[in-house]
Structures are given as structure tokens and as C-alpha cells.
Amino acid sequence: MQENALTNQSATAHEAWENRWQSESGRADWLNPDPDVAAIVPLLHSRNCHSILDLGCGVGRHACYLASEGFDVHAMDASPSGLEFAANQATEHGLEITCRQGLMTALPYDDASFDYVLSFNVIYHGDGEVVARSIAEIHRVLKPGGLFQGTMLSKRNANYGIGVEVAPNTFVVSDAGDGDKNHPHYYCKAGELVNLFEDFELLSLVDCEHERPGSYHWHLVAERL
């Protein structure tokens, strides 16, 4: 029953993003790398990071950017349309990325495969069980001492508490105002986030407001213990 629940949550979220990635307008806001990702590149080079996983790569904005910085990039997403666009973008710019379809709760990679895992605006799409499973998978595929960079939804976010609470701290909003709708979103406070990442050493944790007013997200960088 638990596996079916996880699968159903994932299928709903993936359908929403698959539909978005098929249109030019849906991709428009997801083509440029986030400044936080660009800012971590010097640290990755200083730590001799080589192998990178962009988990939930979408249309490849970060995968292509990181490939242009000389990293060995693996891009994973559940959306065939997103992966196809990412692969085409890489080819168009003379970059090499390895694309693979998969789920964040069951990553299709061996243990200790990567020096750095990036997951931007991805792993909070589910309830607490989905989030915990995804974090465990990230820990599994990271090398000891490897870095994780990602985002989580803050309880300061304007959508927290709106819609139907389908599980603790997890809400489904019929329309979140940005097209990201009809599937679960998990929100947390700083202490709850620290507990979720108990097998990591948190190096940075900032509650950031994105472009839309009230769209607070935790931005974190953590080292795998």
C-alpha cells in the first residue's frame, strides 16, 4: 500500500511537469541556471568534484550549465519531454550530458556514484515519506564527503496551509498560482529540515523568497557524512 501511495503521488506530479515541458511558454521560466548554482561552482572545483547528478533536471538548465563548466553531468528526470529538450540543448551547444529517466524515490544509480547532487525545486513534491525516501536516495548515491545542494519549501511560503492537507505538513492546492498544482507539496521549518538531513552536515541554510512574493524556499548545501 505504501509503495502504491508513493507511486500515485509521483505520477500526479510528473504528469503536471510533463505537460509543462511540452510547451515553449511552460519552459520559458526554467531555461537559465539559478545564481546559487553558479555560485557553488568554485567550491566544487576546489573540492575536485567531477561526477554530478542533476536530480529532477527538468529541461536541463543546470545540467547544461554544469557541463559547460567541465563537470561529468548526469541528468535525471521522470519527464521524457524534459529530458528530450535537455539533450537537444546540450547537443546544440556542443555539450555532453548523460540523460536518464527515473524517480527520485528510487534513483537508478549505484551507491557512492557522485561527488555532487543538485536537486532544485524537486524533492518537496510529495508527502513526508516521499521527501524522506528521496533524501535517503540522495545520501546513498553520494560519495562520502560529497555535496548536496537543493531547495525545500518553507512554512513561511504563502501557500503553506492552503488547500487540502493530505498528510502532515503536506498540502494539495488546486492552483498554486504558477502552474505547479494538483499534487502534494511538503513544507518544513528549519528544525524539521535539520532532522530530515540528519545524515548530512549542513553547510548553508537560507530561507529565500523567490521571484513571486511570498514564495519562500529553503536553500541548502550539505555534506554527506
Side-chain angles (χ1 to χ4, degrees):
M1 291 292 291
Q2 186 181 61
E3 289 296 332
N4 288 337
L6 291 175
T7 301
N8 290 339
Q9 287 185 42
S10 297
T12 304
H14 300 153
E15 181 180 357
W17 289 100
E18 171 69 7
N19 292 336
R20 169 176 278 194
W21 300 147
Q22 290 178 12
S23 71
E24 184 176 349
S25 61
R27 297 188 296 264
D29 293 335
W30 302 91
L31 298 176
N32 298 315
D34 189 275
D36 273 12
V37 177
I40 203 173
V41 166
L43 176 62
L44 298 180
H45 283 308
S46 72
R47 293 172 66 117
N48 295 316
C49 294
H50 177 65
S51 56
I52 283 178
L53 171 62
D54 185 0
L55 193 173
C57 66
V59 292
R61 60 174 178 155
H62 293 130
C64 289
Y65 170 71
L66 291 166
S68 75
E69 291 291 328
F71 298 105
D72 175 20
V73 179
H74 293 251
M76 196 215 85
D77 204 281
S79 165
S81 294
L83 289 170
E84 181 181 8
F85 189 87
N88 289 339
Q89 286 290 98
T91 299
E92 182 179 327
H93 292 91
L95 302 171
E96 191 170 325
I97 62 174
T98 302
C99 294
R100 191 166 182 179
Q101 189 173 359
L103 301 178
M104 62 187 182
T105 53
L107 298 180
Y109 303 101
D110 293 337
D111 296 357
S113 292
F114 302 103
D115 298 306
Y116 166 70
V117 173
L118 173 69
S119 191
F120 230 76
N121 298 340
V122 177
I123 63 173
Y124 54 72
H125 289 96
D127 62 14
E129 174 64 23
V130 167
V131 173
R133 183 78 65 88
S134 301
I135 293 170
E137 281 292 276
I138 290 166
H139 186 274
R140 180 182 66 79
V141 302
L142 268 173
K143 298 175 183 179
L147 294 180
F148 169 70
Q149 182 180 21
T151 60
M152 294 283 291
L153 283 172
S154 166
K155 285 187 176 179
R156 294 177 66 204
N157 190 288
N159 284 323
Y160 174 64
I162 297 176
V164 179
E165 187 170 17
V166 295
N169 300 323
T170 308
F171 294 85
V172 174
V173 183
S174 60
D175 187 349
D178 58 1
D180 186 10
K181 58 183 179 178
N182 293 332
H183 49 274
H185 290 71
Y186 178 85
Y187 301 79
C188 61
K189 294 180 179 178
E192 294 163 332
L193 186 149
V194 169
N195 288 335
L196 285 167
F197 285 87
E198 62 180 354
D199 294 325
F200 293 78
E201 180 72 26
L202 282 173
L203 305 182
S204 175
L205 180 62
V206 182
D207 198 3
C208 297
E209 187 177 31
H210 289 188
E211 291 183 5
R212 184 166 50 86
S215 58
Y216 285 96
H217 288 63
W218 292 111
H219 285 219
L220 66 141
V221 176
E223 181 178 313
R224 182 207 190 275
L225 299 176

